[in-house]
């Protein structure tokens, strides 16, 4: 109630409130009319507007846990749930692939953002750790051959595939010491 003082009698209050069209940025507006009267029917009236504004972002009620995947796996869909006391909640998400310092793994960071009607927003993160646990497979290894010392020894590159990434085939070679008839063996490791 308000504050009023009368020199002759007690003051009686009557307060009425009425919902009005919300002012911009308000959840709702309330027009409050206060009427003070004394026993002689003298009346004083005042009005004021109460605007309820939403300054709190939606709060997450469910966030999926971080997950580890193998690189053959598809990154699965996942969803959050959020609550806002004043309005509907709008949902958005995006994925970002991030290299990991460890060889054979990378991260997929899924950012979830929830926004209410009044522009208040909140975000959270779910991380997928993607592991490469299967080594590449050689699909072609050049066959051995017998050559004369004067023949060229061209390198025929081996070929390989991997289920997760591009493959670079490297090789090294070594020559065994000559036997009693001066034969050597050239060994290539792929």
């Amino acid at each position: 109630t308000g504050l009023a003082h009368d020199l002759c009698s007690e003051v009686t209050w009557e307060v009425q409130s009425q919902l009005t069209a919300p002012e911009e940025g308000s959840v709702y507006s309330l027009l409050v009319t206060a009427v003070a009267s004394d026993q002689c029917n003298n009346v004083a009236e005042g009005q004021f507007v109460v605007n309820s504004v939403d300054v709190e972002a939606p709060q997450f009620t469910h966030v999926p846990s971080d997950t580890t995947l193998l690189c053959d796996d598809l990154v699965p869909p996942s969803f959050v749930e959020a609550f806002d006391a004043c309005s509907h909640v709008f949902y958005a998400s995006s994925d970002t692939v991030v290299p990991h310092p460890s060889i054979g793994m990378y991260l997929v960071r899924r950012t979830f953002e929830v926004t209410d009607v009044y522009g208040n927003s909140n975000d959270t993160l779910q991380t997928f750790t993607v592991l490469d646990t299967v080594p590449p497979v050689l699909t072609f290894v050049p066959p051995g051959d017998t050559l004369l010392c004067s023949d060229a020894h061209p390198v025929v590159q081996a070929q390989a595939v991997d289920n997760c990434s591009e493959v670079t085939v490297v090789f090294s070679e070594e020559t065994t010491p000559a036997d009693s008839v001066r034969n050597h063996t050239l060994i290539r490791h792929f």
Side-chain angles (χ1 to χ4, degrees):
T1 61
L3 179 63
H5 177 70
D6 188 80
L7 296 175
C8 297
S9 64
E10 255 184 59
V11 176
T12 305
W13 282 99
E14 183 181 325
V15 178
Q16 296 176 352
S17 57
Q18 175 183 353
L19 281 174
T20 62
E23 293 185 11
E24 187 170 337
S26 297
V27 177
Y28 65 87
S29 295
L30 191 62
L31 175 63
V32 179
T33 303
V35 178
S37 59
D38 65 13
Q39 291 175 352
C40 297
N41 291 325
N42 296 310
V43 176
E45 184 177 303
Q47 288 185 329
F48 58 93
V49 175
V50 175
N51 291 310
S52 174
V53 294
D54 182 3
V55 294
E56 291 192 26
Q59 297 300 308
F60 289 99
T61 57
H62 170 74
V63 176
S65 58
D66 293 344
T67 304
T68 300
L69 304 170
L70 298 178
C71 68
D72 283 343
D73 300 335
L74 295 175
V75 177
S78 56
F79 305 95
V80 295
E81 293 175 12
F83 171 78
D84 188 81
C86 297
S87 72
H88 296 288
V89 177
F90 301 96
Y91 297 84
S93 67
S94 63
D95 289 352
T96 305
V97 176
V98 179
H100 193 277
S102 298
I103 293 175
M105 70 187 318
Y106 63 92
L107 304 175
V108 177
R109 290 199 173 129
R110 180 167 292 157
T111 302
F112 295 99
E113 183 176 35
V114 291
T115 306
D116 67 18
V117 173
Y118 303 100
N120 303 307
S121 64
N122 197 358
D123 60 49
T124 191
L125 187 69
Q126 179 187 21
T127 301
F128 297 92
T129 303
V130 183
L131 304 175
D132 180 357
T133 59
V134 178
V137 175
L138 289 166
T139 57
F140 171 76
V141 177
D145 201 0
T146 301
L147 301 170
L148 299 173
C149 290
S150 59
D151 291 343
H153 300 94
V155 175
V156 176
Q157 188 65 296
Q159 296 174 1
V161 295
D162 187 71
N163 63 336
C164 293
S165 61
E166 295 291 320
V167 177
T168 302
V169 178
V170 294
F171 76 94
S172 63
E173 60 185 22
E174 64 181 279
T175 304
T176 61
D179 62 14
S180 60
V181 288
R182 296 180 21 144
N183 291 324
H184 299 275
T185 302
L186 175 64
I187 302 171
R188 291 189 174 136
H189 300 275
F190 295 95

